[in-house]
Amino acid sequence: MPPVFAPPAPFPYALPSSCEGYQLAMPNSAFAAKIVRDFVGALLRTGAHAGLADDARLCVSEVVSNVYCHTRSELVRVEVLVGREEVAVHVTNDHTGPLPEPLVRPEGEGGRGLLVVNGLAASWGSSTRKVKARRTKTVWFVLAAAAADDAGGRDCAAEPQILVQPEAAQQ
């Protein structure tokens, strides 16, 4: 059985050291998105970021659904970092396929999940890294408290603002 938790990929900037971290690992199944969505929603609604709960639930549901639909990873690992001003979420799987990218033409019937994440998150990105003998892929996003108060938000159809981190050096 694979290890339950692999260290998440680093963010392009550091969250304050005073943030709280929560982790959840589960089998990659059709129920994983609902389980993670409920976990993240309950976590944020009981804390200082109730205003971010719905956006976080939608974003994490889209990312975990992508793991189920597009990978053969046995596990989905989620880490939620709750800071004073923002919430960051890592979703990690063991699939070695390409890093995700949003559709260039969103007119299709599916595949708009990352455009939704792009529209709601202050920033997001993906990375791969090698952990011992296996390669992991992480999609992460950050939701900012100030952005939740901004009624206009970002346009989901806007040009994607993607941060893709190169593969980490082998350890």
Side-chain angles (χ1 to χ4, degrees):
M1 176 179 241
V4 174
F5 179 74
F11 282 122
Y13 61 91
L15 285 173
S17 60
S18 62
C19 71
E20 296 177 352
Y22 302 86
Q23 299 171 4
L24 179 65
M26 75 209 71
N28 183 15
S29 73
F31 305 107
K34 180 187 179 347
I35 293 167
V36 173
R37 185 172 56 241
D38 292 347
F39 168 73
V40 170
L43 179 65
L44 296 182
R45 283 194 180 104
T46 58
H49 293 298
L52 295 177
D54 289 338
D55 287 353
R57 284 172 43 91
L58 180 55
C59 289
V60 78
S61 182
E62 292 292 345
V63 175
V64 172
S65 292
N66 282 348
V67 173
Y68 177 69
C69 292
H70 302 294
T71 77
R72 294 180 184 256
S73 180
E74 291 183 24
L75 290 175
V76 177
R77 292 175 296 281
V78 178
E79 182 176 29
V80 181
L81 301 170
V82 181
R84 186 177 312 166
E85 301 289 327
E86 58 196 0
V87 174
V89 179
H90 288 95
V91 177
T92 302
N93 67 78
D94 298 326
H95 185 66
T96 59
L99 293 172
E101 293 183 31
L103 293 175
V104 176
R105 295 178 31 215
E107 302 87 37
E109 210 167 286
R112 290 187 289 274
L114 292 177
L115 290 175
V116 171
V117 173
N118 181 65
L120 295 174
S123 62
W124 74 277
S126 60
S127 64
T128 61
R129 68 186 284 174
K130 188 169 184 177
V131 178
K132 296 191 179 177
R134 65 189 167 91
R135 191 166 308 283
T136 64
K137 179 171 37 181
T138 299
V139 175
W140 58 266
F141 60 89
V142 177
L143 298 171
D149 298 333
D150 187 13
R154 287 174 39 193
D155 182 7
C156 288
E159 183 70 26
Q161 302 296 314
I162 306 167
L163 301 174
V164 179
Q165 298 176 354
E167 185 175 307
Q170 295 192 13
Q171 298 177 348

